[in-house]
Amino acid sequence: MKNLYAILLLFMLPTMAFSGKEKIETVRVRGEYILTTNADVTFKQAATEALNEAKTMAVKKVCGEMVNVWTRMASSEVGESFNSLSLNEVNGELVEYNVINEGYEHSAEHKGEMTFYCEIEAKVKKGLEPDPDFVADIEGIKGVYFEGDKIEFKVTPYRNAYLKIFCMENDKLGYRLYPNDIDGGVKVLEAGKKHGILEYSDLECAKSTDKKVEINYLVFVFTKDECPYYKDENSWQEIESWMAKIPSDCKYIYYVPIEIREKQ
């Protein structure tokens, strides 16, 4: 799903609100996921679980065992797709990471059992507590869309806020949907008011594969100050790294999976 109208907003000032003084530490960790013979999990899913475990371990290693690492996953209700995105929030944040080594090993003790592993070098910072008053309501998003359906919704921030919206087709490729020049460009959303988003973009759902059902993610990032993001096409790692640099008390993140189905 791609917004053809989104353009680079070159006029935005390059000042950002995440130039805090938090200390960033670099650690090297290994995450593992054991795949048993009776598990209904693909190799790709097992590899993703090992990576997510490595991310969690990296944050815990820097911030302690009490750190709250929030991970949310979703898959198609018809079982045709598996996608996962993870966010590290609250007391510890993953700024960026590089995969050093990954693969799998057969168990010498349990026949058929395999251990998937992923070793990463990660930069982690201790985060600030989120601001409980800096939240927003999002209305009008459906769980299922058909090809050609238009996407639009309303948001109501509890405080004045700036908003970035991304659509992720998978963990490798996504698009910045908002702000764009059609829907008014960068602007502050006034607290307590409902704001129509993507009302004028004529953004329609489209599938990128031949599968009958695809899972996309809509990622909403509300910030207290304008934090520019210029790229139209993104990977999840790029977006996650950008979000991690924004202090926890200056952002509110919400994301939701949506199904896109063939038009009947």
Side-chain angles (χ1 to χ4, degrees), residues 95-97 166 168 171-174 229 231-245:
V95 177
E96 62 182 58
Y97 68 90
F166 305 92
M168 301 303 300
D171 62 344
K172 302 297 183 183
L173 181 62
Y229 192 98
K231 294 186 66 175
D232 287 335
E233 294 191 9
N234 326 270
S235 69
W236 176 244
Q237 186 172 343
E238 289 174 319
I239 296 174
E240 188 177 44
S241 178
W242 172 74
M243 290 190 298
K245 294 174 185 175

Side-chain angles (χ1 to χ4, degrees), residues 6-48:
I7 64 169
L8 293 175
L9 301 175
L10 298 178
F11 58 87
M12 292 190 297
L13 293 175
T15 57
M16 303 192 75
F18 40 75
S19 57
K21 297 180 180 179
E22 296 92 339
K23 182 180 179 182
I24 296 178
E25 296 184 29
T26 301
V27 295
R28 188 164 178 166
V29 296
R30 169 174 161 140
E32 295 183 351
Y33 178 81
I34 298 176
L35 181 62
T36 58
T37 55
N38 60 349
D40 186 20
V41 177
T42 67
F43 282 12
K44 181 179 179 181
Q45 291 171 332
T48 300

Side-chain angles (χ1 to χ4, degrees), residues 46-240:
T48 300
E49 292 286 354
L51 172 59
N52 286 336
E53 176 63 17
K55 290 180 180 181
T56 300
M57 292 177 63
V59 177
K60 286 184 177 181
K61 189 172 183 178
V62 173
C63 305
E65 290 297 321
M66 298 303 292
V67 67
N68 180 16
V69 179
W70 180 56
T71 301
R72 178 176 178 177
M73 297 183 183
S75 59
S76 169
E77 64 182 30
V78 297
E80 295 194 26
S81 298
F82 178 89
N83 294 286
S84 67
L85 300 176
S86 63
L87 286 176
N88 298 283
E89 289 292 320
V90 187
N91 295 322
E93 296 180 342
L94 191 68
V95 177
E96 62 182 58
Y97 68 90
N98 292 310
V99 176
I100 305 301
N101 190 23
E102 60 183 340
Y104 61 88
E105 303 166 341
H106 292 278
S107 173
E109 299 179 359
H110 304 283
K111 185 178 180 180
E113 187 174 282
M114 303 169 65
T115 299
F116 283 76
Y117 62 87
C118 182
E119 186 177 359
I120 65 173
E121 184 176 82
K123 292 183 179 180
V124 179
K125 75 173 183 180
K126 294 183 178 180
L128 302 172
E129 290 293 331
D131 183 347
D133 296 323
F134 189 67
V135 294
D137 292 330
I138 301 170
E139 305 173 30
I141 297 179
K142 298 184 293 185
V144 176
Y145 291 87
F146 291 94
E147 287 185 287
D149 285 353
K150 183 178 179 180
I151 294 183
E152 59 182 13
F153 40 82
K154 296 183 183 298
V155 301
T156 307
Y158 286 29
R159 286 189 180 181
N160 290 353
Y162 293 87
L163 174 62
K164 303 290 184 295
I165 304 174
F166 305 92
C167 176
M168 301 303 300
E169 291 183 355
N170 50 56
D171 62 344
K172 302 297 183 183
L173 181 62
Y175 307 100
R176 175 172 57 82
L177 303 182
Y178 183 88
N180 59 69
D181 60 330
I182 303 299
D183 283 287
V186 176
K187 57 185 177 182
V188 63
L189 303 180
E190 189 175 345
K193 291 188 176 181
K194 290 186 178 182
H195 302 269
I197 305 295
L198 304 180
E199 288 186 326
Y200 307 109
S201 296
D202 292 327
L203 180 65
E204 295 183 353
C205 291
K207 295 197 295 86
S208 59
T209 69
D210 294 331
K211 292 182 179 181
K212 293 182 179 180
V213 177
E214 285 185 7
I215 297 293
N216 283 192
Y217 287 82
L218 294 179
V219 183
F220 296 78
V221 185
F222 295 85
T223 57
K224 292 181 178 179
D225 299 297
E226 167 55 8
C227 301
Y229 192 98
Y230 297 109
K231 294 186 66 175
D232 287 335
E233 294 191 9
N234 326 270
S235 69
W236 176 244
Q237 186 172 343
E238 289 174 319
I239 296 174
E240 188 177 44

